[in-house]
Amino acid sequence: EYTPPSLRYPCLCVVAALRGVGEGAWLSSRFTSLLLAPRDWFSLWRLNCRLAALHYVKTRDNGYLLEDKWKFLQEAKEHKIPVTPWLDTGMMVVKHRNEEGGLGFYRYKNVTQGGNWIIQPALHNAGDVASLLPGDAPLSTFRVLTASKLGLDSKMAGAGGDGGNDDEDGGSVRTLTAVWRAGRSGATTDHVSVLFDVNKSNGKVNRGTTNQHWYQLGPFKWLTSPWTQDIQYHDHPDTKKKIKGKVIKGMKAIVGIAEKAHRVLVPRVPLVGWDVAVTDKGILLLEGNFSCNFFMGTVDYDWYYDFCDAYFRELWGKRDKATTAPTMPAPAAD
């Protein structure tokens, strides 16, 4: 039975294109790009998520088990990949200095003892990274997004190009983009940050931008918030220090850790966004994100679209795996 396509998305594209005209874009070109080839970070994120979901449904690859942060840390340590340390204490109790009557009391059972909480010492920014940040900035990570062709049964045509540290596997794992999330003053995590595009080869920092305006809450925020990703920073807004043009000295090691993790831990998973930090304990891998986005970094789109096309074509030709999904650890009672 034929189901006519929905007009909701084209209508949204018209509204967004009209809004873009006020921000210096041509109506026809903006509508065409939004409808047929959107490159905003959210649309690309959706494409990455769809690829991950389809790949899992068709393959049931065990690599997705490493979305469990504890399993990830254990596997990475076993393969000698430097990751954030953890404490092997039993129950951890935290209580407020002034509250009474049982208020302000929290108890956490360590994952090492069958609980759900990974208890870790706090890490701090170090090196040239720390010198560019306010003193109370959160740990500010590099999002290194890598792609692997090792999950393809056939060789992918037309997807050459430089692959970062490709010498170990002939280019089957390569870095697509690297973005430094420069945390804001007083923020708890680097989810509140300026996103600085970084050259994956030489570590030179390019312009910064933000996607915080996409997260504004309230029924009328869409009227006052920008609908564009063309917000640019050359300096850190809190320190006023110039960041564009700086060079991250350990960029080769940062990219190398991410590519090794993809190659060794989850070789057949198509895309992973790795969080890598330059800390007072060295360059460490924090975690991998399987529903990852580019955070508006520079991407070789021709290579990326060919890569996605090869995976989608191959996966649609497979039957869904009838096997049971990998069993995730059951939540333990704290």
Side-chain angles (χ1 to χ4, degrees), residues 159-174:
D162 71 308
N165 300 336
D166 282 347
D167 52 314
E168 295 185 40
D169 63 359
S172 293
V173 173
R174 65 172 279 172

Side-chain angles (χ1 to χ4, degrees), residues 16-297:
L18 288 169
R19 181 65 182 265
V21 169
E23 296 170 355
W26 289 98
L27 176 61
S28 59
S29 61
R30 185 162 177 80
F31 172 73
T32 301
S33 64
L34 288 170
L35 181 66
L36 301 178
R39 287 191 178 179
D40 61 272
W41 73 273
F42 187 69
S43 295
L44 296 174
W45 188 9
R46 290 171 63 199
L47 179 58
N48 292 347
C49 290
R50 285 170 173 160
L51 176 55
L54 181 63
H55 184 263
Y56 175 73
V57 167
K58 295 289 188 177
T59 68
R60 302 293 183 185
D61 192 277
N62 284 331
Y64 292 99
L65 284 171
L66 297 194
E67 289 192 296
D68 179 335
K69 292 178 173 61
W70 176 232
K71 188 171 182 62
F72 162 76
L73 288 173
Q74 291 177 299
E75 289 285 324
K77 185 176 181 181
E78 183 178 334
H79 287 88
K80 302 187 184 324
I81 296 171
V83 290
T84 51
W86 61 86
L87 302 178
D88 196 12
T89 184
M91 190 76 70
M92 178 73 73
V93 170
V94 180
K95 57 184 178 181
H96 195 276
R97 62 189 294 181
N98 290 322
E99 294 187 24
E100 299 178 354
L103 299 175
F105 179 91
Y106 303 96
R107 185 174 64 177
Y108 301 95
K109 188 175 182 181
N110 200 321
V111 69
T112 62
Q113 307 299 320
N116 290 321
W117 297 96
I118 302 171
I119 302 175
Q120 299 175 295
L123 298 172
H124 305 282
N125 298 301
D128 51 352
V129 167
S131 68
L132 300 173
L133 294 167
D136 60 347
L139 189 65
S140 298
T141 60
F142 291 82
R143 168 58 61 89
V144 181
L145 197 148
T146 55
S148 172
K149 295 186 284 184
L150 297 171
L152 290 166
D153 294 335
S154 58
K155 288 292 184 181
M156 183 175 62
D162 71 308
N165 300 336
D166 282 347
D167 52 314
E168 295 185 40
D169 63 359
S172 293
V173 173
R174 65 172 279 172
T175 295
L176 289 184
T177 189
V179 172
W180 180 41
R181 298 188 291 191
R184 298 295 305 271
S185 177
T188 303
T189 70
D190 61 3
H191 291 85
V192 180
S193 61
V194 178
L195 310 172
F196 283 97
D197 185 32
V198 183
N199 186 301
K200 63 185 181 182
S201 300
N202 60 25
K204 188 174 182 178
V205 181
N206 199 357
R207 55 97 184 108
T209 186
T210 181
N211 58 8
Q212 293 299 304
H213 53 291
W214 286 65
Y215 294 94
Q216 298 300 308
L217 300 178
F220 301 108
K221 286 293 186 179
W222 66 277
L223 293 172
T224 57
S225 300
W227 285 29
T228 177
Q229 57 188 31
D230 298 329
I231 302 171
Q232 294 201 17
Y233 293 89
H234 293 178
D235 309 330
H236 193 290
D238 297 322
T239 65
K240 310 305 179 186
K241 291 182 179 179
K242 183 72 173 294
I243 293 183
K244 181 181 178 182
K246 298 290 186 181
V247 175
I248 305 299
K249 296 176 183 175
M251 201 62 207
K252 184 175 181 180
I254 292 169
V255 169
I257 288 174
E259 291 184 355
K260 178 181 178 181
H262 202 153
R263 186 182 302 112
V264 172
L265 300 178
V266 289
R268 297 185 66 82
V269 173
L271 296 167
V272 184
W274 306 97
D275 292 337
V276 187
V278 179
T279 79
D280 51 343
K281 303 297 183 183
I283 298 175
L284 301 177
L285 181 62
L286 276 65
E287 63 184 31
N289 300 272
F290 295 81
S291 300
C292 49
N293 78 77
F294 295 117
F295 285 110
M296 295 181 283

Side-chain angles (χ1 to χ4, degrees), residues 5-22:
S6 170
L7 295 177
R8 285 178 295 180
Y9 183 68
C11 289
L12 285 173
C13 291
V14 171
V15 175
L18 288 169
R19 181 65 182 265
V21 169

